[in-house]
RNA sequence: GGGGUGUUAGUUAAGCUGGUUAUAACGCCGGCCUGUCACGCCGGAGGCCACGGGUUCGAGUCCCGUACACCCCGCCA
């Protein structure tokens, strides 16, 4: 008899047979998704990556085959030869292939399966650590398969689009020299240079600039990056970027290229046409109204800055606000208005305070607005001056029944607390979903935004000097350069972040290619020319050999896929992700090193696990 | 480094103020069944209640600690 695979090749997938195929002899390979054994007839849903097809094994089609069919269980890997038959009145409308079924004439069990630890169903109801332990089974689920197939498509569209725009796909090394600053690097011992280490590249940043110096003009790469930092819902220790760099461009040119790419992804993978150009917002406005540089513009509830108002009223009579009677740098007062329609109970407001405290707040002062604008249920009510209260009501637009939430103190803390409270309230009030996009086919479900013109430096309290907010090679605005020596905090630059629905999906800059300005930038950070040479020598040297003006961006491919597919977690768009502690539950990485390996590397482990 | 939530059959969960033999559904095993597609029916097996201490006559339940997973702050910028 003809043997499957050797003689009998697969003719169709399990997702494509319809009424027009009735009468055909077909050969299908796949996994037993479900079985319904009626004694005389065994029904099997056969699954492959394309879908499900019902296969029927009837007693009269052959005793031997029917007996074998009764042995089938979940996840057996099988081959079937049979005839496509119309289901007549028994159509299953929930299956693409529901009009037909395959009446089997020949069955082979390629491999039996142990009872799987969880069922391979679309609906995920298994704890994530168990899914990760048996990731190869989890990846059999249709939603994950579809997500990864979309990701594959995204890769293809990225390559097509960027090729069309004249970008060259060039590779850069993973094993690189450690450069200080930025993310913590993973270290790799260099056996051939005893006692020395490579770093795993946290990004191809320096190398892509060298491609520009070399004259490639337009570079891109879909590339893994490695950062040894703590994980979050949207952060993995190894992740993928669409990295690109362009010569002879302004910021607007970079935006145009990226918008071309992103709209192509949404159009071709999702079938949604996103309007170009994307809106832009200045960094200053983003911080003021949303408390971070990645505002979710799907809903309002902006922060209201009351710092100058409180200073104007000399603290407004409120004891807690006396330190704000005069505006002090780095200290702010802000409010968030919860509309009356939220109908928040006391308990719920208390819960908000707990959330705030969890993020470093000392408390969460609040005020419920009464019919005549008076404040109730508020620790501020007794002491607040009436004029100040009315001014705050006016500034926040507070109406009767609304609740005002106040946060004051260090700017960074106030921003963190209120930015997260705003998102929490947005979800709680149903203005945005917990995750994903309820209506992904609608263009206005997608709020793309460029956040532009941020400061070049930020002041580091610990180091007591200015440090680069992005990296030291970002080009300042020409009109800002005059402040490099006198007021570094005022220097804005050509750095930009692309934000989608509250997630940063990309960031980049126009690079600084003028050695004279570069020197002044280093000086502002207290870095001497000699020191700069030590840290960034090869790049600085390269820039002195006729470097073209250039700039670029890196887009987070995992986050793009995460948002585009509406996944619940970044882990759902990565085939083999790590846990929050950076471990792999399937392979049990990281593991111990063999003493012999360590000897070869001249490494001694001094860590002693606590007992 | 810090805060929060969780951990009970293979899986998902229930188990109240501590009280006899820890429940259910799905899955698993055996039997019956030719039109099911969440197939159905009959029967059965399956548990160190995460781990270690403590309180108590008695702990799945209360307390402390540890581990692991997830979410957040710091970190990543």
């Amino acid at each position: 008899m003809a043997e499957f695979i050797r003689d009998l090749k697969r003719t169709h997938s399990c997702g494509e047979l319809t009424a027009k195929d009735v009468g055909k002899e077909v050969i299908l390979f796949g996994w037993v998704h479900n079985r319904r054994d009626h004694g005389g007839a065994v029904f099997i849903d056969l699954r492959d990556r394309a879908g499900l097809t019902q296969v029927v094994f009837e007693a009269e089609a052959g005793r031997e085959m029917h007996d074998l069919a009764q042995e089938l269980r979940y996840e057996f890997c099988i081959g079937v030869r049979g005839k496509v038959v119309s289901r007549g009145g028994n159509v299953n409308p929930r299956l693409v292939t529901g009009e037909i079924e395959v009446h089997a004439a020949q069955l082979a069990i390629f491999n039996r399966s142990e009872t799987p630890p969880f069922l391979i169903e679309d609906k995920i109801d298994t704890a994530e650590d168990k899914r990760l332990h048996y990731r190869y089974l989890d990846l059999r689920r249709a939603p994950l398969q579809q997500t990864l197939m979309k990701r594959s498509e995204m890769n293809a569209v990225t390559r097509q689009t960027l090729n069309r725009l004249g970008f060259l796909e060039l590779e850069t090394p993973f094993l690189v020299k450690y450069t200080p600053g930025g993310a913590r690097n993973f270290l790799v011992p260099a056996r051939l240079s005893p006692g020395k280490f490579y770093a795993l590249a946290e990004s191809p940043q320096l190398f892509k600039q060298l491609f520009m110096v070399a004259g490639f003009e337009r570079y891109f790469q879909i590339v893994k990056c490695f950062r040894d930092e703590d994980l979050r819902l949207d952060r993995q220790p190894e992740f993928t970027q669409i990295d690109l760099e362009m010569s002879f461009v302004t910021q607007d040119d970079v935006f145009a290229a990226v918008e071309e790419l992103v709209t192509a992804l949404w159009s071709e993978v999702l079938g949604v046409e996103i309007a170009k150009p994307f809106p832009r917002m200045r960094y200053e406005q983003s911080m003021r109204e949303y408390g971070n540089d990645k505002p979710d513009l799907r809903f309002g509830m902006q922060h209201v800055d009351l710092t100058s108002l409180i200073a104007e009223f000399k603290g407004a009579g409120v004891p807690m606000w006396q330190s704000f009677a005069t505006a002090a740098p780095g200290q702010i007062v802000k409010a968030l208005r919860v509309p009356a329609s939220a109908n928040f109970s006391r308990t719920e407001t208390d819960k908000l305070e707990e959330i705030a405290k969890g993020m470093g707040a000392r408390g969460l002062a609040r005020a419920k607005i009464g019919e005549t604008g008076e404040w109730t249920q508020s620790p501020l009510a007794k002491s607040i001056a009436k004029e100040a209260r009315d001014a705050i009501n006016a500034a926040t637009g507070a109406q009767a029944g609304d609740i005002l939430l106040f946060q004051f103190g260090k700017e960074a803390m106030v921003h963190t607390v209120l930015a997260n409270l705003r998102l929490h309230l947005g979800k709680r009030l149903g203005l945005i979903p917990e995750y994903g996009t309820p209506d992904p086919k609608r263009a206005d479900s997608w709020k793309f935004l460029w956040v532009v013109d941020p400061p070049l430096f930020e002041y580091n309290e610990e180091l007591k000097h200015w440090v680069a907010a992005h990296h030291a090679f970002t080009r300042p605005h020409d009109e800002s350069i005059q402040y490099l020596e006198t007021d570094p905090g005022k220097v804005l630059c050509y750095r930009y972040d692309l934000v989608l629905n509250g997630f940063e999906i990309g960031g980049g800059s126009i690079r600084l290619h003028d050695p004279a300005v570069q020197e002044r930038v280093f000086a502002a950070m207290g870095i001497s020319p000699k020191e700069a040479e030590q840290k960034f020598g090869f790049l600085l040297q390269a820039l002195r050999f006729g470097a073209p003006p250039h700039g670029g961006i890196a887009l987070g491919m995992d986050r793009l896929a995460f948002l585009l597919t509406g996944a619940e977690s970044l882990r759902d768009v990565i085939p083999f992700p790590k846990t929050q502690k950076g471990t792999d539950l399937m392979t049990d990485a990281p593991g111990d090193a063999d003493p012999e390996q360590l000897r070869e590397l001249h490494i001694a482990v001094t860590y002693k696990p606590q007992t």
Side-chain angles (χ1 to χ4, degrees):
Chain A
M1 196 186 228
E3 232 180 85
F4 283 107
I5 299 180
R6 190 191 65 194
D7 312 310
L8 303 175
K9 304 294 183 188
R10 188 203 309 238
T11 61
H12 294 80
S13 77
C14 292
E16 62 181 309
L17 294 172
T18 59
K20 67 180 184 335
D21 300 298
V22 167
K24 285 183 187 165
E25 162 116 335
V26 298
I27 295 161
L28 302 176
F29 298 156
W31 286 263
V32 175
H33 186 68
N34 196 7
R35 79 188 158 99
R36 295 172 292 280
D37 183 351
H38 283 241
V42 178
F43 298 87
I44 294 292
D45 291 333
L46 188 64
R47 184 193 72 238
D48 64 17
R49 71 180 202 197
L52 294 176
T53 298
Q54 174 163 284
V55 180
V56 190
F57 303 91
E58 290 181 302
E60 49 267 32
R63 175 70 181 277
E64 204 179 314
M65 183 193 74
H66 182 252
D67 285 350
L68 193 59
Q70 288 196 307
E71 291 178 29
L72 294 175
R73 293 294 182 274
Y74 282 110
E75 298 311 311
F76 279 25
C77 184
I78 64 173
V80 170
R81 179 174 60 80
K83 200 173 173 188
V84 180
V85 175
S86 169
R87 289 218 211 166
N90 281 325
V91 166
N92 182 347
R94 292 165 58 190
L95 285 185
V96 176
T97 60
E99 297 172 305
I100 58 91
E101 62 193 7
V102 172
H103 284 219
Q106 188 180 347
L107 165 68
I109 297 177
F110 298 140
N111 229 329
R112 288 160 194 271
S113 172
E114 287 182 17
T115 302
F118 46 78
L119 289 182
I120 312 302
E121 296 170 319
D122 290 6
K123 192 178 147 285
I124 296 168
D125 62 350
T126 308
E128 201 182 358
D129 50 349
K130 298 213 168 58
R131 293 173 50 203
L132 291 176
H133 189 261
Y134 298 97
R135 188 59 163 176
Y136 42 86
L137 294 181
D138 195 29
L139 288 172
R140 284 184 183 174
R141 294 183 139 124
L144 283 182
Q145 295 217 333
Q146 276 151 17
T147 296
L148 293 184
M149 287 190 264
K150 279 214 169 97
R151 219 184 137 136
S152 173
E153 257 184 89
M154 291 174 74
N155 281 320
V157 171
T158 298
R159 291 200 163 91
Q160 281 160 20
T161 306
L162 292 178
N163 277 325
R164 176 164 58 77
L165 295 176
F167 287 82
L168 303 172
E169 185 168 3
L170 304 171
E171 293 179 66
T172 53
F174 288 147
L175 295 174
V176 301
K177 185 165 190 279
Y178 169 73
T179 46
R184 187 183 293 116
N185 292 111
F186 286 98
L187 287 180
V188 181
R191 183 180 54 84
L192 297 176
S193 303
K196 302 204 176 199
F197 296 85
Y198 300 101
L200 286 181
E202 61 185 79
S203 80
Q205 182 62 39
L206 299 176
F207 292 95
K208 68 175 175 177
Q209 288 194 244
L210 297 178
F211 280 141
M212 297 305 101
V213 173
F216 287 100
E217 299 191 14
R218 289 189 170 203
Y219 139 92
F220 88 98
Q221 189 179 189
I222 298 174
V223 62
K224 273 285 181 78
C225 301
F226 306 88
R227 293 182 190 174
D228 187 8
E229 297 292 347
D230 285 6
L231 275 38
R232 286 286 188 283
L233 176 78
D234 60 348
R235 282 169 18 196
Q236 280 276 308
E238 52 179 307
F239 59 99
T240 306
Q241 288 189 338
I242 305 171
D243 190 49
L244 60 90
E245 192 78 7
M246 311 164 76
S247 288
F248 311 118
V249 289
T250 63
Q251 176 170 291
D252 290 343
D253 297 321
V254 176
F255 287 7
V258 171
E259 286 167 3
E260 189 76 17
L261 169 60
V262 171
T263 54
L265 287 170
W266 255 252
S267 170
E268 291 182 43
V269 182
L270 251 196
V272 176
E273 303 306 320
I274 304 291
K276 289 179 285 191
F278 299 161
R280 303 179 189 188
M281 182 185 289
R282 302 195 57 187
Y283 177 90
E284 183 276 327
Q285 182 188 353
S286 181
M287 293 306 291
R288 179 162 39 84
E289 295 185 348
Y290 301 94
N292 62 27
D293 58 357
K294 45 176 187 176
D296 190 336
L297 297 187
R298 290 176 297 175
F299 70 111
M301 289 189 76
Q302 287 91 343
H303 304 172
V304 179
D305 190 344
L306 302 172
T307 312
S308 54
L309 194 150
I310 301 298
E312 220 173 282
F313 283 93
K314 303 285 175 216
V318 175
M320 288 188 282
W321 287 351
Q322 280 320 297
S323 55
F324 301 92
T326 53
Q331 301 279 316
I332 59 170
V333 184
K334 279 183 143 190
L336 201 57
R337 184 178 65 88
V338 182
S341 56
N343 204 12
F344 264 27
S345 67
R346 193 65 174 268
T347 333
E348 253 166 321
T349 329
D350 287 345
K351 198 181 152 203
L352 295 181
E353 178 156 12
E354 287 310 308
I355 294 171
K357 282 182 175 170
M359 282 178 297
R362 289 167 61 192
L364 183 69
R366 62 209 80 163
K368 188 160 192 175
I369 312 301
E371 287 304 325
T372 58
E374 78 276 14
W375 288 2
T376 61
Q377 303 176 16
S378 173
L380 311 168
K382 277 191 187 138
S383 50
I384 184 100
K386 184 174 178 305
E387 299 75 29
R389 191 197 70 198
D390 291 344
I392 290 171
N393 286 353
T396 56
Q399 303 290 318
D402 291 355
I403 296 171
L404 290 179
L405 304 172
F406 298 95
Q407 201 53 225
F408 42 87
K410 278 206 193 301
E411 186 171 1
M413 182 279 291
V414 171
H415 280 155
T416 298
V417 170
L418 286 190
N420 284 298
L421 270 187
R422 175 176 172 270
L423 290 176
H424 175 84
L425 289 167
K427 287 172 185 170
R428 168 67 184 72
L429 301 179
L431 304 172
I432 51 171
E434 279 297 324
Y435 64 89
T437 305
D439 209 350
K441 295 287 182 190
R442 283 179 51 163
D444 64 2
S445 295
W446 306 101
K447 297 296 186 190
F448 288 93
L449 176 74
W450 291 107
V451 175
V452 299
D453 303 339
L456 179 58
F457 304 109
E458 58 192 29
Y459 194 74
N460 186 307
E461 296 285 348
E462 280 172 40
L463 302 174
K464 301 287 179 206
H465 64 72
W466 295 93
V467 298
H470 182 53
H471 66 76
F473 304 98
T474 304
R475 182 179 161 191
H477 289 182
D478 292 341
E479 57 276 21
S480 275
I481 291 177
Q482 53 178 314
Y483 301 117
L484 272 174
E485 288 77 19
T486 52
D487 192 356
K490 231 173 135 174
V491 177
L492 302 185
C493 65
Y494 291 110
R495 179 192 134 204
Y496 31 83
D497 284 338
L498 181 57
V499 177
L500 172 56
N501 293 359
F503 286 88
E504 182 200 317
I505 55 171
S509 64
I510 298 299
R511 323 301 178 187
L512 178 46
H513 66 280
D514 179 339
V517 178
Q518 182 72 68
E519 210 165 291
R520 290 169 66 191
V521 168
F522 281 134
M525 295 188 288
I527 296 177
S528 68
K530 196 180 159 193
E531 211 179 325
E533 207 62 43
Q534 277 170 0
K535 282 183 175 169
F536 309 106
F538 68 97
L539 178 64
L540 291 175
Q541 188 171 46
L543 293 175
R544 288 197 292 264
F545 286 100
H550 62 286
I553 194 168
L555 302 173
M557 178 58 110
D558 313 278
R559 287 183 189 171
L560 280 169
F562 162 66
L563 290 162
L564 190 145
T565 61
E568 194 168 340
S569 153
L570 201 67
R571 291 181 296 277
D572 286 345
V573 301
I574 296 174
F576 301 101
K578 306 256 188 309
T579 68
Q580 195 156 45
K581 284 183 79 179
T583 62
D584 180 334
L585 295 179
M586 186 179 65
T587 65
D588 213 21
D592 295 320
D594 188 278
E596 181 51 36
Q597 288 177 299
L598 292 176
R599 210 169 299 130
E600 255 185 341
L601 297 167
H602 305 281
I603 288 176
V605 177
T606 58
Y607 175 76
K608 297 271 186 295
Q610 287 158 350
T611 47

